[in-house]
Every structure is written in C-alpha cells, then in structure tokens.
Amino acid sequence: MHEAKDTPVVRELRVFTEWVGAGRKLTATGQITLADARTLVDLLDTGDVVDPDIGGRVFKTTSSAEPPGLQRVFLWARAAGLVRVVKGRLVPVKKAAPMLARPQALWQAVFEAFPRLADAVCPAGWWTSPLHEEFAPVVRTVLTRLYGGSAPLTELYELSWERASAPFLIEKPELARKSNDRDTERMLSALAHLGAIGVTNEEAALTSLGQEAIRRTLGEAAPGEPVYELKVTLLDTDDPVVWRRLRVSAGISLARLHRILAVAMGWEDYHLHVFTIGERRYGRPSLEWDDGLLDETTTTLAEVAGSAGTRISWEYDFGDSWEHEIVIERAMAAEEGVRYPAVVTGEGACPPEDCGGTWGYREFRAALADPRHEEHEHLVRWAGLTSAAEFDPKRFDLAAVRRAVLTIA
C-alpha cells in the first residue's frame, strides 16, 4: 500500500507550513521575498536554482515566482487551505494545523486542491495552452480515465487536448496542440510528484493512493459499502421500451446520479433536469427559473432512496419533457474489485435530442421508416444520417455504454 507519508509533496507542504510559523511578510505583489526564497529552495529541496549560472552567465532571479518548484509549493499550500494571506503576510490556517500530523488527511486535502493549480503547473505566458484555461475539468477527465485502468500516454495526451480545446475556436491548432502537450506533460509530472500516479515512458496508472482518492472524490462504494440496483425507464416509449438497469453507490450525489443516468440512457446532457421524490424537487438551483429547487449537489442518493421499491421521477429537457421513472429494485453490498456505477443491461436506443418528446419521437421513427413520407429526407439530414437505416430504435450497445459510464468525471 502506497503511504501518504512517503510522498514528497506531503513533506514539502509540512516543512513549508512549519517554516511559515506565526507568519511571514510578503512582497507588495503578494510573493515570498527573495531572501526567504533563497532559504526555502534549500529547505524544501525543490531542485530550484536561484540566480542560475547558464553557460558561464549568471541570470539574476527577480521574483520568488520564478523558481517553479517553490512557486508550486507556495500555491499548493494556499489552495489546500494550509496558509492564507492576511494584510500582506502569509499566515497559517489554525484549523488546518491538525492535518500536519495526519499524513493521509494532508495528502487528501492536497489532492483535492490539485485541480486549482493551473497557475502553478502550467502558468500563463506567450504560449498559454488551452489546458491552462480548462485545467480542472482536464484533471478530472484524465484521473477518471485512469480510474478505469492504466492508459498509454498517447491516449492521455489526446484526451487532454480533446477536453481542453473543446470550448474554443482555435486559429492555429498545431501550435496550440504543441503547447497543450507540453502542459499535459507538466500536469502528469506534478501528479506523479504528488504520488497519485506512476508514469513510465509508455503509460500511466493510478497508485493505490490515487485509486482511493478518486473513489472518495466520486463517492463510489468501497467493498462492503451499500450499492443500489435501480432501473430507469423512459416513459411513453414502446417497441421497444427504452430502459437501463444499473448499480450505483448509495453515497453519490444526485448531481452525479444525473450524469450517470444521462450517459447510460444516451442523452447529450445540455438541457435542464429535475428529480422529484414525493413533494420535493432536486436539481441545479437558480433564482432565474425555480427558487424552490433543492440542491442536488449536496443531496446523496441514500438520503432520498428509502427502501426497495422507492420510485423517483427524473425529467430531462423541460421543452421535450423526457419523463423517466427510476425504481430502486434492491440494496446490496459493493463487491471487491467491482467499479460502480455498473450498467447491468438495458434495451432500446436513446431518442435524438430535440425531436419533440415522445410524441415527436414516434413521428420521427414513422417518417424514417417510410421513404415516401414527406418529412423522410429532411429528418434523415436533420439527424445527421446518411440513410434512414443507420438509426435502429432497438440498438443498445451494452459494452459501449459500460465504457462511457466509467469515464464520467
């Protein structure tokens, strides 16, 4: 078992926090002073060099933000809540002090702070990468992929690029991809330094520490902990009825349950949704449209599921109003070596988004089935098909759905 006390980051942050002591004066720009930086690079053993000699020429360090290792420790300690800035001084956070003597708790706090370290891991500059702007979601995507097993580095670089570049219209993709690969290498190196992953020349894999941290972060059940088997059915569908049976951890939030259900069913998840249990409704609270909605991010499935037979309504897309019924079929204990969520089985293809609800879906299928229908050609093009035969309402690829569900960040 990989122990948190063995990781360099735990030692660095403990030493750094102890060095802060009762408080240290910062510069006018909020950085550690150069005098203190000279002390810290030796104390922390970050490998940094102040005033490096390159080719016989000394390059003067003008800011403590320049040595990358020291800056990483400084920003990480702040992100993890070990220290904070008060009136130009760096001071310890008193309530975090007990963690310094508890390596596992300290490591978990540091791990959870990592997605907020874009400026430390891949700082902005002339060649700022898309990864810097999308650091947190990329970190979650990469770690969730590794939670499913080791991965070739080439796959992780591709995954990072796809997720980081998705929100942007990139004018020079070759240059952007090059900078993104550079920062992906830095990200993986920092995660290895943390002790969350192990990296070889060919692939990366989570350490046992990383596995346990991701499990906790996702709220997934450990062996022996409660799991629910549930069936979700898209109401008012037939030939076939569209449904899925899944096993999910009892401790997941309703927000995560929504993401799991959306992927398992096949929805693209760009519409609003709501869960209804009895008289209570859960979703993403917004004063703009429903101030009576309870927060799904702070409510776990176990809190609302009750016993076997409990029924939960889940509506997706308030325009098309796709109504689903979720039935808690049974409670069981998580098995050793099994990942949750797990898709057990199911039937039927997911209807196309924005096709007009179940009534529109029936019209869509009828038009596709009849080449003489006046809307046939239009709907083939609208659905992005080359021919009507490409859409099979009975198609359900269990293996593909299982893979997709396990990559949910």
Side-chain angles (χ1 to χ4, degrees), residues 10 69 115 226:
V10 166

Side-chain angles (χ1 to χ4, degrees), residues 276-295:
T276 303
I277 304 104
E279 299 298 318
R280 296 186 175 185
R281 301 168 71 244
Y282 301 84
R284 302 170 185 167
S286 170
L287 294 177
E288 297 178 3
W289 68 276
D290 193 332
D291 60 359
L293 206 61
L294 298 173
D295 190 352

Side-chain angles (χ1 to χ4, degrees), residues 105-307:
L106 176 56
W107 191 92
Q108 185 70 26
V110 172
F111 174 82
E112 291 174 0
F114 185 77
R116 301 191 292 275
L117 289 184
D119 289 337
V121 177
C122 45
W126 286 106
W127 297 102
T128 301
S129 71
L131 174 56
H132 177 271
E133 303 301 319
E134 293 292 307
F135 190 73
V138 170
V139 168
R140 288 192 291 268
T141 299
V142 167
L143 287 175
T144 303
R145 164 59 187 89
L146 291 175
Y147 192 48
S150 62
L153 291 179
T154 52
E155 180 183 341
L156 298 182
Y157 278 78
E158 186 66 29
L159 194 62
S160 172
W161 169 247
E162 288 178 358
R163 179 61 186 83
S165 62
F168 306 108
L169 180 62
I170 298 177
E171 295 181 358
K172 297 180 179 179
E174 290 184 3
L175 290 176
R177 176 62 189 264
K178 185 175 181 180
S179 64
N180 205 81
D181 284 353
R182 174 204 64 203
D183 284 346
T184 300
E185 181 179 6
R186 292 173 176 173
M187 177 188 70
L188 295 174
S189 178
L191 286 168
H193 183 67
L194 171 60
I197 68 172
V199 180
T200 68
N201 292 332
E202 302 271 331
E203 66 177 22
L206 288 174
T207 62
S208 56
L209 259 181
Q211 286 275 358
E212 177 62 14
I214 292 295
R215 187 193 68 75
R216 288 175 178 271
T217 300
L218 297 178
E220 292 198 6
E225 292 183 346
V227 169
Y228 291 126
E229 183 170 275
L230 55 85
K231 181 179 180 181
V232 54
T233 303
L234 178 57
L235 300 180
D236 199 26
T237 55
D238 53 46
D239 192 29
V241 173
V242 181
W243 63 274
R244 310 286 186 259
R245 178 171 286 114
L246 307 92
R247 293 172 183 166
V248 299
S249 304
I252 61 172
S253 68
L254 291 183
R256 180 160 176 77
L257 176 63
H258 163 75
R259 292 194 294 274
I260 292 168
L261 295 177
V263 172
M265 294 299 294
W267 299 120
E268 296 180 42
D269 196 15
Y270 56 79
H271 291 293
L272 294 171
H273 66 275
V274 66
F275 290 99
T276 303
I277 304 104
E279 299 298 318
R280 296 186 175 185
R281 301 168 71 244
Y282 301 84
R284 302 170 185 167
S286 170
L287 294 177
E288 297 178 3
W289 68 276
D290 193 332
D291 60 359
L293 206 61
L294 298 173
D295 190 352
E296 66 179 8
T297 66
T298 59
T299 306
T300 66
L301 177 58
E303 291 171 337
V304 301
S307 57

